[in-house]
Amino acid sequence: MITQERRFLYQPNPLSSVINWSWTLIVLMMGAIFWLEVTHFNWYTLGFFVAFAFLCWLEIHFRNITMAKGVLTVSTVLNHRHLVIPLKQISSVHLSRYRLGIVAQGKIYQFLLPRNSAIELAGLISEATGIEEEKA
């Protein structure tokens, strides 16, 4: 059993990640376009760049998977009611290069993680549940 809390940063499934980061990049482009149209740097441009930096920080910092006390908690940026998955309800774990797939509560969840985090999290889940991970 895992005695300490483990936290991993993730991105949602690939399609959602592309959409979310595209909207964030639009804020940066709006700042650059506004800066070029006005031809000098001003407070509005600085506001766009600060908003871009803040959005990047939000999207990275608030997306994490926490594993503690036999529960997998997935937090998101906008939904403050986190997804809570008891480890006993996980029926299978699929691991590919940077993607971790979990089947739990009758649903399929996919997360993009750094390679080492994906391997470590899949190993922790497999160890806690007794399920062998499937590698692709």
Side-chain angles (χ1 to χ4, degrees), residues 105-135:
Q105 301 170 342
K107 295 181 181 177
I108 300 171
Y109 301 101
Q110 290 187 12
F111 306 104
L112 295 176
L113 295 125
R115 180 183 277 177
N116 292 338
S117 295
I119 293 169
E120 184 179 354
L121 184 58
L124 288 172
I125 293 171
S126 298
E127 178 185 320
T129 59
I131 300 170
E132 285 199 30
E133 57 194 62
E134 298 176 19
K135 294 183 182 179

Side-chain angles (χ1 to χ4, degrees), residues 1 8 14-15 21 26 31 35 46 49 79-80 86 99 101 104 107 127 130 132:
M1 191 71 188
F8 302 94
L15 185 59
W21 284 104
I26 285 174
W35 180 23
L46 179 63
F49 292 144
N79 188 2
H80 295 290
R99 187 181 304 176
K107 295 181 181 177
E127 178 185 320
E132 285 199 30

Side-chain angles (χ1 to χ4, degrees), residues 28 33 48 65 71 96 124 131 135:
L28 177 67
I33 289 170
F48 278 115
I65 299 173
V71 175
S96 62
L124 288 172
I131 300 170
K135 294 183 182 179

